[in-house]
Structures are given as structure tokens and as C-alpha cells.
Amino acid sequence: MTGIDAMLLARRMDRLMRRLNAAFHQRAEPLDTDKVGPLGGMVIMALADLGPTPVSALTAELGRDKSQMTRLIQMLERKGYVVRSSHPEDKRVSVMALTERGEAFTAQMRVILAEVAGDLLGSLSEGERAAFMESLGKI
Amino acid sequence: MTGIDAMLLARRMDRLMRRLNAAFHQRAEPLDTDKVGPLGGMVIMALADLGPTPVSALTAELGRDKSQMTRLIQMLERKGYVVRSSHPEDKRVSVMALTERGEAFTAQMRVILAEVAGDLLGSLSEGERAAFMESLGKI
DNA sequence: TATTGTTATACTCTATAACTATA
DNA sequence: TATAGTTATAGAGTATAACAATA
């Protein structure tokens, strides 16, 4: 017994994600001159938070498929946002890191995301916002 | 000043959606013998909540593109989950409704969604869950 | 044998624009 | 002229399996 309407939850989550994506892309697309796309942006954000990271760890962090990650990384590398280096102790793993260009892109994204989050969470009180973030972290 | 880390929020939302989708599809896919797919499921759920609804209203509710909705509805109609009827007062609009088969599918989905929601929200207290749902509704 | 990452492939979802039929 | 819905099409994201290199 959760006491909540699971179907309503699913529909609300879906709506929220749709709106978040729409709001974000509307502002981010004009700046995304290299077309790294939403998922490319997610990879860059994850690297910004995590620092240099093996592909496998990045894949787990983002919850995507490893083959998808391969293609995404190749694209980002080609466009100069990330670099790969092979792990000194295990030649199978390659470690991803942001380039300066990747860092600059991250800074831009932070600004946009803050705006979008501000708009989206504007209807919540300070306390509700904090509680929402905390619950999101626990889930 | 929202007082929250917007990039962390974005990454957490993305992760939550990925996990929710993965958990749901894992359980729903074996039952989805007709391959209505995730979005087909969303359409059916929306109709279950809203009752008979014009295509345009459904499109707005789900936040998808109207051309996407057309194809989705044609697929669901072909597979016997929904029926269309033209609006008596405006011949341009067609009104969607669930068939018995659609209703039966909804009942199955409710069970699965309740399980998934239970798993996912299991780490929150009753109060946190209610607050989370409420915030989701306000946003 | 197991794991890291790559390639190939097929499918679903998304976005845009041009079109029709009614209003 | 505006709105509801359709068609066509291209692009992005996803899932799976088979594979090579290294452990």
C-alpha cells in the first residue's frame, strides 16, 4: 500500500519530463551549434560532475546502453568536447575527460539549467523545493 | 535564487525516468503482446483517466506532436484498443474512447504501475511520498 | 572465461512542413 | 482565415546481439 495513484504518478512524471525537455531545448538549441544534442549534453554534465571517468562507469551513471555510449563519445570526441585516454593499469578501459571546450560548454549549460529549474520550480516554496530534491535523491 | 543545483536536478530527473521506464518495461513488455509500446500505453492511460476525448485534447494532455498522435491512434485502433467517432457538432474533430480491450489493458497496467511505484518510492516515508506527489502536481 | 568497448542493425520516438476538410 | 487531423520524411534515442582485445 503506497497510498498513491501510480497511474497518476506515471502521467505526471511523463508530463514533467516533457516540459523540462521542451523548456531546456528551446533555450539550449540555439547555443548548441555543434549539435551535441540532449544526450551529448547529459554525458558532458555527468563528466563535469564526476571528473575523468571510465566509459563503463559513465554508462552505469547515465543508465544507457554501452553501445549507445560508444557512439555518443565518438561524436563528442570528434567535435572536441571530450578526450579519451587508456587506463594505465587496464588496457581494456578508456577514461573520458572534458576538454576546455567541454568545460566551457558546461558553464553555458549551468546557466540555462538554472533558468529552467527556476521557472519550473517557481510554483514551489523554498521548503517544498528542498524536499523535492531530497526525495529525488533518495529514490 | 532557487537554492538548488539545477544540474544535479536535471541528472536526478533523468536517472529517475530511466529507472522508472526500465522497471516498467521489464514487467510490461511480456504482457504487451500486441506491441502497443510505451507511448501507446501512455495514450491508453490518459484515455482511462479522461474518458472520451478529442484527439487535440489528448495531444495537449500528453504534450506530444499531433502527427505523432495520429499514427499512435491509428495503431491502437487497428489493434482494437480504442475507437474513434466524429464529433456531432464539429465534423473536424474525432473523439477517442477505450474499447473493452483497452479497459482490460488499463487494468493490467494499473497493477504493474502500482508495483513499480511501490518499489521506486519504497525508500520514502508515507509523508514524503505524499509531498512528492503534491509537488509533482504543482510543477 | 569474464569484462571492456566496438560494430551492425532494427525499432521507437520526435520534429517539421505541407496537405485536406471542415469551420 | 483559422483549426482538426493526416501524410511524408528525416533525425535522434534505444535495445540486442555478435565481435575483438585484454584480463
Side-chain angles (χ1 to χ4, degrees):
Chain A
M1 272 303 265
T2 61
I4 62 148
D5 180 343
M7 208 158 98
L8 188 58
L9 172 68
R11 300 217 296 119
R12 281 186 177 169
M13 287 289 305
D14 181 66
R15 271 185 85 144
L16 176 55
M17 282 307 287
R18 293 289 301 165
R19 289 178 51 191
L20 207 155
N21 274 331
F24 179 66
H25 293 143
Q26 197 180 341
R27 305 196 204 204
E29 211 191 350
L31 298 176
D32 184 16
T33 48
D34 283 334
K35 308 247 178 221
V36 304
L39 251 183
M42 288 301 301
V43 171
I44 292 173
M45 284 196 281
L47 282 176
D49 273 356
L50 301 174
T53 311
V55 173
S56 57
L58 204 59
T59 301
E61 170 71 20
L62 293 174
R64 262 77 180 185
D65 188 85
K66 58 184 180 173
S67 69
Q68 192 179 358
M69 210 50 58
T70 295
R71 280 190 309 278
L72 222 33
I73 287 166
Q74 288 171 340
M75 180 269 284
L76 290 175
E77 196 176 28
R78 205 168 54 238
K79 293 179 177 173
Y81 291 88
V82 305
V83 282
R84 266 184 293 193
S85 54
S86 79
H87 191 102
E89 288 166 19
D90 186 340
K91 287 182 182 171
R92 290 174 306 179
V93 343
S94 76
V95 178
M96 314 298 314
L98 289 182
T99 60
E100 275 188 29
R101 184 172 202 175
E103 298 283 4
F105 191 75
T106 304
Q108 282 192 316
M109 256 193 304
R110 278 190 197 279
V111 175
I112 296 172
L113 281 170
E115 283 176 21
V116 172
D119 283 1
L120 214 69
L121 303 182
S123 50
L124 301 183
S125 72
E126 194 74 24
E128 284 173 320
R129 251 177 263 161
F132 186 73
M133 262 308 265
E134 206 195 319
S135 293
L136 221 43
K138 282 188 190 173
I139 287 172
Chain B
M1 272 305 265
T2 62
I4 63 148
D5 180 343
M7 207 158 98
L8 188 59
L9 172 66
R11 299 218 296 117
R12 281 184 178 170
M13 287 288 304
D14 181 65
R15 271 185 84 143
L16 176 55
M17 282 307 287
R18 294 290 300 164
R19 288 178 51 192
L20 207 155
N21 274 330
F24 178 66
H25 293 143
Q26 197 181 342
R27 305 195 204 202
E29 211 191 351
L31 297 177
D32 185 15
T33 48
D34 283 334
K35 309 249 179 217
V36 303
L39 252 183
M42 288 301 302
V43 171
I44 292 173
M45 283 196 282
L47 281 177
D49 272 356
L50 302 175
T53 311
V55 173
S56 57
L58 205 58
T59 301
E61 170 72 21
L62 293 174
R64 263 76 180 188
D65 188 85
K66 59 182 179 172
S67 68
Q68 193 179 355
M69 209 52 57
T70 294
R71 279 190 308 281
L72 222 33
I73 287 166
Q74 288 171 341
M75 180 270 284
L76 290 174
E77 196 176 29
R78 204 169 53 238
K79 292 179 177 172
Y81 291 87
V82 304
V83 281
R84 266 183 293 194
S85 54
S86 81
H87 191 103
E89 287 167 21
D90 186 340
K91 286 184 183 171
R92 290 175 306 179
V93 342
S94 75
V95 178
M96 315 297 315
L98 289 183
T99 59
E100 274 189 30
R101 185 172 200 175
E103 298 283 3
F105 191 75
T106 304
Q108 282 191 316
M109 256 193 304
R110 278 189 198 279
V111 175
I112 296 172
L113 281 170
E115 283 176 23
V116 171
D119 283 1
L120 214 69
L121 303 182
S123 50
L124 301 184
S125 72
E126 193 73 24
E128 284 173 321
R129 249 176 267 161
F132 186 73
M133 264 306 266
E134 205 195 319
S135 292
L136 221 44
K138 281 190 191 172
I139 288 173

